[in-house]
Protein backbone atom coordinates (compact mmCIF):
# COMPACT_ATOMS: atom_id res chain seq x y z
CA UNK A 1 0.00 0.00 0.00
CA UNK A 2 1.30 3.43 -0.91
CA UNK A 3 0.01 6.99 -0.59
CA UNK A 4 -0.08 9.42 -3.48
CA UNK A 5 -0.84 13.13 -3.35
CA UNK A 6 -2.52 14.71 -6.37
CA UNK A 7 -2.65 18.51 -6.70
CA UNK A 8 -5.54 20.06 -8.68
CA UNK A 9 -4.74 23.76 -8.18
CA UNK A 10 -5.54 24.88 -11.73
CA UNK A 11 -9.28 24.34 -11.39
CA UNK A 12 -12.10 25.84 -9.34
CA UNK A 13 -12.87 23.49 -6.38
CA UNK A 14 -16.63 24.15 -6.56
CA UNK A 15 -16.66 23.06 -10.20
CA UNK A 16 -14.35 20.07 -9.70
CA UNK A 17 -15.84 18.61 -6.51
CA UNK A 18 -19.47 19.41 -7.40
CA UNK A 19 -22.38 20.52 -5.25
CA UNK A 20 -22.07 18.98 -1.77
CA UNK A 21 -19.01 17.04 -3.02
CA UNK A 22 -21.22 15.03 -5.39
CA UNK A 23 -18.47 14.65 -8.00
CA UNK A 24 -15.96 13.51 -5.40
CA UNK A 25 -18.42 10.96 -4.06
CA UNK A 26 -18.93 9.59 -7.57
CA UNK A 27 -15.15 9.34 -8.07
CA UNK A 28 -14.82 7.42 -4.78
CA UNK A 29 -17.55 5.01 -5.94
CA UNK A 30 -15.70 4.44 -9.22
CA UNK A 31 -12.49 3.58 -7.30
CA UNK A 32 -13.87 1.31 -4.54
CA UNK A 33 -10.50 -0.25 -3.65
CA UNK A 34 -8.86 3.10 -2.84
CA UNK A 35 -9.05 5.27 0.26
CA UNK A 36 -9.53 8.82 -1.00
CA UNK A 37 -9.66 12.10 0.89
CA UNK A 38 -9.69 15.64 -0.46
CA UNK A 39 -9.09 19.04 1.08
CA UNK A 40 -8.88 22.14 -1.07
CA UNK A 41 -6.61 21.46 -4.03
CA UNK A 42 -4.96 18.40 -2.42
CA UNK A 43 -6.29 14.87 -2.96
CA UNK A 44 -4.73 12.00 -0.99
CA UNK A 45 -5.18 8.42 -2.15
CA UNK A 46 -4.00 5.17 -0.51
CA UNK A 47 -3.92 1.81 -2.28
CA UNK A 48 -1.92 -0.46 -4.53
CA UNK A 49 0.71 1.25 -6.69
CA UNK A 50 -0.92 0.43 -10.06
CA UNK A 51 -4.37 1.56 -8.96
CA UNK A 52 -3.18 4.80 -7.37
CA UNK A 53 -1.19 5.61 -10.52
CA UNK A 54 -4.32 5.03 -12.60
CA UNK A 55 -6.29 7.24 -10.20
CA UNK A 56 -3.75 10.08 -10.51
CA UNK A 57 -3.85 9.95 -14.31
CA UNK A 58 -7.66 10.05 -14.38
CA UNK A 59 -7.86 12.91 -11.85
CA UNK A 60 -5.52 15.00 -13.97
CA UNK A 61 -7.70 14.35 -17.03
CA UNK A 62 -10.78 15.38 -15.06
CA UNK A 63 -9.04 18.54 -13.84
CA UNK A 64 -7.99 19.43 -17.39
CA UNK A 65 -11.58 19.01 -18.59
CA UNK A 66 -13.00 21.08 -15.71
CA UNK A 67 -10.47 23.87 -16.27
CA UNK A 68 -11.19 23.99 -19.99
CA UNK A 69 -14.99 23.85 -19.89
CA UNK A 70 -15.75 25.24 -16.40
CA UNK A 71 -18.03 22.26 -15.79
CA UNK A 72 -17.68 18.59 -14.90
CA UNK A 73 -20.87 16.57 -15.56
CA UNK A 74 -21.34 13.07 -14.14
CA UNK A 75 -21.30 11.41 -17.58
CA UNK A 76 -17.91 12.99 -18.31
CA UNK A 77 -16.50 11.72 -15.00
CA UNK A 78 -17.69 8.19 -15.79
CA UNK A 79 -16.30 8.29 -19.35
CA UNK A 80 -12.86 9.55 -18.27
CA UNK A 81 -12.53 7.15 -15.32
CA UNK A 82 -13.45 4.23 -17.59
CA UNK A 83 -10.83 5.35 -20.11
CA UNK A 84 -13.24 6.60 -22.76
CA UNK A 85 -12.72 10.02 -24.33
CA UNK A 86 -15.61 12.35 -23.42
CA UNK A 87 -17.65 13.87 -26.22
CA UNK A 88 -16.12 17.09 -27.49
CA UNK A 89 -18.37 20.09 -27.01
CA UNK A 90 -19.32 22.04 -30.12
CA UNK A 91 -16.40 24.34 -30.91
CA UNK A 92 -17.77 26.63 -33.64
CA UNK A 93 -16.46 30.13 -32.90
CA UNK A 94 -16.15 29.37 -29.16
CA UNK A 95 -13.54 31.57 -27.48
CA UNK A 96 -13.81 30.10 -23.98
CA UNK A 97 -16.34 28.33 -21.79
CA UNK A 98 -17.66 30.57 -19.03
CA UNK A 99 -19.35 29.81 -15.73
CA UNK A 100 -21.30 26.50 -15.73
CA UNK A 101 -19.88 25.62 -19.13
CA UNK A 102 -21.57 28.51 -20.96
CA UNK A 103 -19.89 28.89 -24.38
CA UNK A 104 -18.66 32.43 -25.09
CA UNK A 105 -18.24 32.96 -28.80
CA UNK A 106 -18.37 35.46 -31.62
CA UNK A 107 -22.10 35.64 -32.26
CA UNK A 108 -21.99 38.12 -35.15
CA UNK A 109 -19.63 38.40 -38.15
CA UNK A 110 -17.94 41.46 -36.64
CA UNK A 111 -17.45 39.78 -33.26
CA UNK A 112 -15.78 36.89 -35.06
CA UNK A 113 -13.79 39.44 -37.07
CA UNK A 114 -12.51 40.89 -33.77
CA UNK A 115 -11.29 37.42 -32.74
CA UNK A 116 -9.38 37.03 -36.01
CA UNK A 117 -8.03 40.59 -36.01
CA UNK A 118 -6.74 40.14 -32.45
CA UNK A 119 -4.93 36.96 -33.52
CA UNK A 120 -3.17 38.78 -36.38
CA UNK A 121 -2.25 42.08 -34.70
CA UNK A 122 -0.57 43.24 -31.48
CA UNK A 123 -2.84 46.31 -31.23
CA UNK A 124 -6.53 46.17 -32.12
CA UNK A 125 -9.18 48.89 -32.08
CA UNK A 126 -12.79 47.72 -31.56
CA UNK A 127 -15.23 50.53 -32.30
CA UNK A 128 -19.01 50.69 -32.26
CA UNK A 129 -22.22 51.51 -30.42
CA UNK A 130 -23.35 50.22 -27.03
CA UNK A 131 -24.38 46.58 -26.77
CA UNK A 132 -22.27 45.20 -29.61
CA UNK A 133 -20.12 43.05 -27.29
CA UNK A 134 -16.82 44.88 -27.90
CA UNK A 135 -15.65 44.81 -24.28
CA UNK A 136 -17.09 41.36 -23.55
CA UNK A 137 -15.31 39.70 -26.48
CA UNK A 138 -12.10 41.61 -25.71
CA UNK A 139 -12.07 40.31 -22.13
CA UNK A 140 -12.93 36.78 -23.32
CA UNK A 141 -9.89 36.88 -25.63
CA UNK A 142 -7.72 38.03 -22.70
CA UNK A 143 -9.01 35.21 -20.46
CA UNK A 144 -8.39 32.65 -23.21
CA UNK A 145 -4.80 33.84 -23.61
CA UNK A 146 -4.30 33.51 -19.86
CA UNK A 147 -5.78 29.99 -19.78
CA UNK A 148 -3.66 28.92 -22.75
CA UNK A 149 -0.56 30.37 -21.04
CA UNK A 150 -0.01 32.75 -23.94
CA UNK A 151 0.17 35.58 -21.39
CA UNK A 152 1.06 35.77 -17.71
CA UNK A 153 -1.40 38.50 -16.75
CA UNK A 154 -4.38 40.56 -17.83
CA UNK A 155 -4.47 44.34 -17.42
CA UNK A 156 -7.92 45.97 -17.70
CA UNK A 157 -8.36 49.72 -17.61
CA UNK A 158 -10.80 52.50 -18.38
CA UNK A 159 -10.84 56.26 -17.77
CA UNK A 160 -12.72 57.37 -14.65
CA UNK A 161 -15.10 59.76 -16.40
CA UNK A 162 -18.68 60.29 -15.28
CA UNK A 163 -21.39 59.95 -17.93
CA UNK A 164 -22.85 63.44 -17.68
CA UNK A 165 -23.20 63.38 -13.89
CA UNK A 166 -21.17 64.99 -11.13
CA UNK A 167 -21.00 62.46 -8.33
CA UNK A 168 -18.67 64.51 -6.13
CA UNK A 169 -16.28 62.85 -3.70
CA UNK A 170 -16.88 59.13 -3.20
CA UNK A 171 -16.37 57.55 0.24
CA UNK A 172 -13.79 54.89 1.13
CA UNK A 173 -10.23 54.09 0.16
CA UNK A 174 -8.80 54.28 -3.36
CA UNK A 175 -10.31 50.91 -4.40
CA UNK A 176 -13.76 51.97 -3.17
CA UNK A 177 -13.51 55.22 -5.13
CA UNK A 178 -12.52 53.68 -8.48
CA UNK A 179 -14.49 50.41 -8.40
CA UNK A 180 -17.80 51.99 -9.57
CA UNK A 181 -16.10 53.13 -12.78
CA UNK A 182 -14.63 49.66 -13.37
CA UNK A 183 -17.74 47.59 -12.55
CA UNK A 184 -18.49 46.62 -16.20
CA UNK A 185 -15.08 44.92 -16.33
CA UNK A 186 -15.79 42.98 -13.13
CA UNK A 187 -19.17 41.91 -14.54
CA UNK A 188 -17.55 40.39 -17.64
CA UNK A 189 -14.87 38.58 -15.62
CA UNK A 190 -17.46 37.12 -13.24
CA UNK A 191 -19.18 35.56 -16.27
CA UNK A 192 -16.00 33.83 -17.39
CA UNK A 193 -13.99 32.84 -14.31
CA UNK A 194 -15.31 31.01 -11.21
CA UNK A 195 -15.55 33.26 -8.15
CA UNK A 196 -12.80 31.60 -6.08
CA UNK A 197 -10.39 31.49 -9.02
CA UNK A 198 -11.13 35.11 -9.91
CA UNK A 199 -10.48 36.17 -6.31
CA UNK A 200 -7.14 34.32 -6.39
CA UNK A 201 -6.17 35.96 -9.69
CA UNK A 202 -7.02 39.41 -8.32
CA UNK A 203 -5.11 38.87 -5.06
CA UNK A 204 -1.99 37.62 -6.86
CA UNK A 205 -2.29 40.42 -9.48
CA UNK A 206 -2.55 37.96 -12.35
CA UNK A 207 -5.61 40.03 -13.26
CA UNK A 208 -5.27 43.75 -12.60
CA UNK A 209 -8.06 46.28 -12.98
CA UNK A 210 -6.94 49.88 -12.69
CA UNK A 211 -7.99 53.36 -13.80
CA UNK A 212 -6.07 54.87 -16.68
CA UNK A 213 -4.26 57.35 -14.40
CA UNK A 214 -2.35 54.46 -12.76
CA UNK A 215 -0.74 53.31 -16.03
CA UNK A 216 1.93 56.02 -16.31
CA UNK A 217 5.51 54.74 -15.95
CA UNK A 218 4.64 51.06 -16.43
CA UNK A 219 5.91 48.69 -19.11
CA UNK A 220 3.42 45.86 -19.59
CA UNK A 221 5.21 42.69 -20.68
CA UNK A 222 3.70 39.20 -21.21
CA UNK A 223 0.20 40.62 -20.86
CA UNK A 224 -3.09 41.14 -22.60
CA UNK A 225 -4.10 44.76 -22.05
CA UNK A 226 -7.65 46.05 -22.58
CA UNK A 227 -8.60 49.73 -22.52
CA UNK A 228 -12.36 50.18 -22.35
CA UNK A 229 -14.36 53.39 -23.06
CA UNK A 230 -11.32 54.85 -24.86
CA UNK A 231 -13.43 57.63 -26.37
CA UNK A 232 -13.22 59.31 -22.95
CA UNK A 233 -9.43 59.52 -22.95
CA UNK A 234 -7.64 62.75 -23.72
CA UNK A 235 -5.01 62.90 -26.46
CA UNK A 236 -2.21 62.78 -23.87
CA UNK A 237 -3.79 59.87 -21.96
CA UNK A 238 -4.21 57.56 -24.94
CA UNK A 239 -0.68 58.25 -26.20
CA UNK A 240 0.64 57.43 -22.71
CA UNK A 241 -1.44 54.22 -22.61
CA UNK A 242 -0.48 53.00 -26.08
CA UNK A 243 3.21 53.38 -25.27
CA UNK A 244 2.88 51.02 -22.25
CA UNK A 245 2.91 48.02 -24.63
CA UNK A 246 5.79 45.72 -23.74
CA UNK A 247 7.35 42.52 -25.05
CA UNK A 248 5.09 39.55 -25.77
CA UNK A 249 2.03 41.71 -25.08
CA UNK A 250 -1.16 42.50 -26.98
CA UNK A 251 -3.57 45.39 -26.58
CA UNK A 252 -7.26 45.89 -27.38
CA UNK A 253 -8.76 49.39 -27.36
CA UNK A 254 -12.57 49.60 -27.28
CA UNK A 255 -14.72 52.69 -27.64
CA UNK A 256 -17.76 54.40 -29.09
CA UNK A 257 -17.03 57.80 -30.64
CA UNK A 258 -20.75 58.70 -30.43
CA UNK A 259 -20.69 58.57 -26.61
CA UNK A 260 -17.93 60.99 -25.60
CA UNK A 261 -18.37 62.27 -22.02
CA UNK A 262 -15.38 64.64 -22.01
CA UNK A 263 -15.87 68.42 -21.61
CA UNK A 264 -17.01 69.98 -24.90
CA UNK A 265 -13.68 71.73 -25.57
CA UNK A 266 -11.59 68.56 -24.99
CA UNK A 267 -10.67 66.42 -28.00
CA UNK A 268 -11.15 62.66 -27.67
CA UNK A 269 -7.84 60.79 -27.67
CA UNK A 270 -9.46 57.85 -29.45
CA UNK A 271 -10.58 60.00 -32.38
CA UNK A 272 -7.08 61.44 -32.73
CA UNK A 273 -5.36 58.04 -32.35
CA UNK A 274 -7.47 56.49 -35.11
CA UNK A 275 -6.40 59.30 -37.45
CA UNK A 276 -2.71 59.27 -36.44
CA UNK A 277 -2.29 55.47 -36.52
CA UNK A 278 -4.27 54.79 -39.69
CA UNK A 279 -2.30 52.42 -41.91
CA UNK A 280 0.40 51.56 -39.34
CA UNK A 281 1.45 47.86 -39.76
CA UNK A 282 0.55 45.60 -36.82
CA UNK A 283 -2.53 47.63 -35.89
CA UNK A 284 -5.99 46.24 -36.69
CA UNK A 285 -9.40 47.87 -36.56
CA UNK A 286 -12.89 46.36 -36.32
CA UNK A 287 -15.96 48.59 -36.65
CA UNK A 288 -19.22 47.30 -35.18
CA UNK A 289 -22.64 48.48 -36.32
CA UNK A 290 -26.26 48.39 -35.24
CA UNK A 291 -26.66 44.84 -36.54
CA UNK A 292 -24.08 43.65 -33.99
CA UNK A 293 -26.14 44.79 -30.99
CA UNK A 294 -26.96 41.72 -28.89
CA UNK A 295 -28.67 43.32 -25.90
CA UNK A 296 -32.46 43.73 -25.62
CA UNK A 297 -34.02 44.23 -29.08
CA UNK A 298 -35.05 47.77 -28.06
CA UNK A 299 -31.39 48.83 -27.79
CA UNK A 300 -30.95 48.60 -31.57
CA UNK A 301 -34.10 50.67 -32.11
CA UNK A 302 -32.92 53.25 -29.55
CA UNK A 303 -29.54 53.59 -31.30
CA UNK A 304 -31.27 53.98 -34.69
CA UNK A 305 -33.69 56.60 -33.29
CA UNK A 306 -30.85 58.68 -31.86
CA UNK A 307 -28.87 58.44 -35.10
CA UNK A 308 -31.94 59.67 -37.01
CA UNK A 309 -32.43 62.51 -34.52
CA UNK A 310 -28.75 63.54 -34.70
CA UNK A 311 -28.89 63.54 -38.53
CA UNK A 312 -32.01 65.73 -38.52
CA UNK A 313 -30.46 68.12 -35.98
CA UNK A 314 -27.26 68.41 -38.02
CA UNK A 315 -29.28 69.07 -41.20
CA UNK A 316 -31.31 71.74 -39.42
CA UNK A 317 -28.12 73.44 -38.19
CA UNK A 318 -26.65 73.43 -41.69
CA UNK A 319 -29.86 74.89 -43.12
CA UNK A 320 -29.89 77.62 -40.44
CA UNK A 321 -26.23 78.40 -41.09
CA UNK A 322 -26.82 78.62 -44.86
CA UNK A 323 -29.80 80.91 -44.31
CA UNK A 324 -27.76 83.27 -42.10
CA UNK A 325 -24.93 83.35 -44.67
CA UNK A 326 -27.43 84.15 -47.42
CA UNK A 327 -28.94 86.99 -45.33
CA UNK A 328 -25.46 88.38 -44.65
CA UNK A 329 -24.64 88.33 -48.37
CA UNK A 330 -27.82 90.23 -49.23
CA UNK A 331 -27.01 92.88 -46.63
Amino acid sequence: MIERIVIVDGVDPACFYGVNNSNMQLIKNLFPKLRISARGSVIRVIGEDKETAEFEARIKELADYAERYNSLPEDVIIDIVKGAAPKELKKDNVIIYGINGKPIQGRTPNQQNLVETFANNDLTFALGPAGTGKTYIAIALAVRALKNREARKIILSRPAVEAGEKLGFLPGDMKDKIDPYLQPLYDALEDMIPAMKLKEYMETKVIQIAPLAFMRGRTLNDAIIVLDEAQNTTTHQIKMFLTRLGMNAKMIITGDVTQIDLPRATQSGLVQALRVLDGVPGIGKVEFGKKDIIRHHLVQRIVEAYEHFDAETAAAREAEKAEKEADATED
Side-chain angles (χ1 to χ4, degrees):
M1 302 285 280
I2 67 162
E3 179 184 40
R4 287 181 187 268
I5 296 176
V6 186
I7 308 295
V8 287
D9 58 353
V11 65
D12 178 56
C15 168
F16 185 79
Y17 293 126
V19 178
N20 296 323
N21 274 342
S22 57
N23 288 349
M24 200 66 227
Q25 190 56 53
L26 175 59
I27 292 169
K28 288 179 179 179
N29 293 339
L30 292 169
F31 289 95
K33 296 181 181 180
L34 301 178
R35 289 165 51 196
I36 303 165
S37 63
R39 182 183 292 273
S41 61
V42 178
I43 301 175
R44 296 177 182 274
V45 57
I46 299 175
E48 297 297 329
D49 184 41
K50 184 178 179 181
E51 291 179 354
T52 56
E54 174 75 7
F55 173 85
E56 181 177 11
R58 298 307 178 206
I59 287 294
K60 288 181 177 177
E61 287 183 50
L62 291 170
D64 288 342
Y65 185 97
E67 184 178 7
R68 181 178 180 186
Y69 295 112
N70 267 328
S71 68
L72 191 59
E74 287 189 2
D75 58 333
V76 170
I77 295 174
I78 294 169
D79 285 345
I80 289 177
V81 169
K82 291 186 175 180
K87 293 178 181 178
E88 285 285 326
L89 299 181
K90 189 177 179 181
K91 289 184 176 180
D92 292 350
N93 297 336
V94 172
I95 302 169
I96 56 168
Y97 290 87
I99 300 302
N100 298 322
K102 169 189 170 186
I104 296 171
Q105 60 197 96
R107 292 167 57 183
T108 70
N110 276 328
Q111 287 186 356
Q112 188 57 31
N113 187 17
L114 176 56
V115 176
E116 294 166 3
T117 303
F118 173 77
N120 297 324
N121 296 277
D122 288 338
L123 172 59
T124 302
F125 287 95
L127 314 168
T132 51
K134 309 179 297 293
T135 302
Y136 198 77
I137 296 298
I139 292 178
L141 290 168
V143 172
R144 182 180 70 177
L146 184 65
K147 281 192 167 190
N148 292 344
R149 294 173 176 80
E150 295 165 4
R152 291 193 297 108
K153 57 191 173 186
I154 296 173
I155 313 290
L156 306 177
S157 185
R158 60 174 4 211
V161 176
E162 295 153 353
E165 298 177 86
K166 297 298 179 185
L167 302 179
F169 292 102
L170 296 174
D173 59 17
M174 182 60 72
K175 185 177 185 300
D176 295 329
K177 291 177 189 295
I178 64 176
D179 272 0
Y181 298 101
L182 306 175
Q183 192 58 49
L185 306 181
Y186 288 111
D187 291 342
L189 286 171
E190 287 166 0
D191 252 12
M192 302 175 194
I193 302 175
M196 289 183 65
K197 196 68 182 173
L198 178 57
K199 182 181 178 183
E200 178 190 328
Y201 281 151
M202 300 287 284
E203 288 175 349
T204 57
K205 299 191 182 301
V206 171
I207 296 179
Q208 302 172 32
I209 302 180
L212 186 58
F214 288 10
M215 292 294 110
R216 185 172 296 280
R218 300 185 66 183
T219 300
L220 306 175
N221 297 316
D222 303 307
I224 306 298
I225 309 131
V226 179
L227 174 61
D228 190 32
E229 299 289 348
Q231 76 276 3
N232 288 329
T233 61
T234 65
T235 55
H236 295 296
Q237 284 177 325
I238 200 163
K239 180 181 177 183
M240 176 274 292
F241 187 84
L242 291 170
T243 53
R244 302 305 96 201
L245 191 64
M247 302 300 293
N248 191 35
K250 286 194 169 192
M251 188 177 281
I252 306 178
I253 311 291
T254 72
D256 177 6
V257 295
T258 68
Q259 294 193 91
I260 297 173
D261 300 313
L262 294 168
R264 190 176 296 274
T266 305
Q267 183 183 6
S268 167
L270 177 61
V271 173
Q272 185 195 63
L274 290 170
R275 187 168 64 249
V276 171
L277 301 176
D278 185 39
V280 175
I283 297 178
K285 182 172 72 172
V286 178
E287 296 191 45
F288 292 79
K290 297 186 294 291
K291 292 182 179 179
D292 297 300
I293 293 174
I294 53 175
R295 288 181 184 166
H296 193 285
H297 62 274
L298 274 178
V299 175
Q300 184 170 341
R301 297 177 194 171
I302 290 168
V303 171
E304 289 173 346
Y306 270 95
E307 284 183 352
H308 183 65
F309 174 79
D310 290 341
E312 285 186 340
T313 303
R317 282 203 201 102
E318 287 298 320
E320 184 180 351
K321 182 180 177 183
E323 187 177 340
K324 286 181 179 179
E325 288 175 352
D327 291 343
T329 303
E330 290 175 5
D331 293 341

